[in-house]
Amino acid sequence: MKFALLMLIAALSVNAQASNCETSGILDRITCPSQTLEISGPHLTREVRYAIPKGKTPRGGWPTVVLYQGSFFDVEFSRQKLMPFGGYNEIRLIQSLLDSGFAVVAPRAIAGVAWMTNLIGVDYETSEDFYFITEMLSEMKKGRFGKLNMMRLYATGISSGGYHSSRMAVSFPGVFKALAVESASFADCKGPVCLVPTAIPENHPPTLFLHGELDTVVPVGTMYPYFDTLKAHGIETEFFVDPTARHQWLEQAPELITQWFLNHP
C-alpha cells in the first residue's frame, strides 16, 4: 500500500479511549501498567506479561493482540526514547493498542532469547513453543488474563517475533483475525535464507508487512515473496517499507499496526 494511503488510514480515529499509560522524564519514558502470569506445564514455566485497556469491558471481551518479542529483547511495558532497534516504538505501539481498546498479551520466548519457529532441526509442532502457546491460548480462553474476546485475536512481532507471528497462520489456523509482521518473513525463513512455500493455509489471516529498506539482518527482499504469495492466493495483504530504516521497530508501526487490526474486526 502506498505511503500516503496508509498514513491516511492510520490517521482515522476509531474506538479511541484513554489507557493508563503515562509519559515522564526528559527521555519521555512511557509506562503502561501491566501484570505477569506464569504458564506452567510438565516441561516449562514461562512468564506472560499483559495489559488491559482502561474502561468498561466490552460485552464480548477485549479484542487482544499477542505481541511476540524479538531475539534477546523481552517486550517491556516501560521504555524511554534511547532504546536500540526502535524499542521506543514498541511501547508506543502498546500504548496505541491499549488506547484503541485492545488488550496486549506478551509471552516470553524460551530463556528470553528467540522463538523456535525457524530453528534448524526443530519440528515446531513438537516444540516447547508450540506447547507453550497452546497452553497460553487455553488460559486466555479460561479468563486468567481477564475477559478477552477469543474471536478477535491478532498477532504481531519484530524479527524472531515477526517470524513467530507468521507461524500463527501455519500452526494455529483459524485462531487469529489478522497479523502484522515487522522485519521478518514467512514462519520458517532464516534472515537472508528464505524460501516461501507456494502452498499456504487457505484461511491465512490478512497480513501487514513492515520493513526497513536498509535492513541487513532480514533483507527486505525476503519479505516480498511472502507478500506476493499471499496476493496470488487472494489473501488481503499490504506492506510499508521505510527507505531510511534498518532492522528496527519503525516509527510508523504504532499507527499502522493498530489501524490494520481495527480494520479487521
Side-chain angles (χ1 to χ4, degrees), residues 55-98:
K56 183 178 180 181
T57 305
R59 179 173 296 182
W62 297 107
T64 300
V65 176
V66 180
L67 176 55
Y68 291 118
Q69 69 166 88
S71 297
F72 301 103
F73 283 89
D74 288 347
V75 174
E76 299 288 350
F77 284 79
S78 180
R79 290 194 187 278
Q80 43 87 0
K81 279 187 174 179
L82 300 182
M83 293 297 300
F85 305 108
Y88 188 65
N89 295 320
E90 182 182 79
I91 189 62
R92 290 180 57 237
L93 171 60
I94 291 171
Q95 182 176 27
S96 175
L97 290 169
L98 291 168

Side-chain angles (χ1 to χ4, degrees), residues 11 25-26 72 156 236:
I26 60 174
F72 301 103
T156 189
E236 185 181 357

Side-chain angles (χ1 to χ4, degrees), residues 202-221:
E202 291 183 0
N203 60 350
H204 192 295
T207 301
L208 172 68
F209 297 96
L210 301 98
H211 223 108
E213 183 73 40
L214 305 181
D215 191 336
T216 57
V217 178
V218 180
V220 67

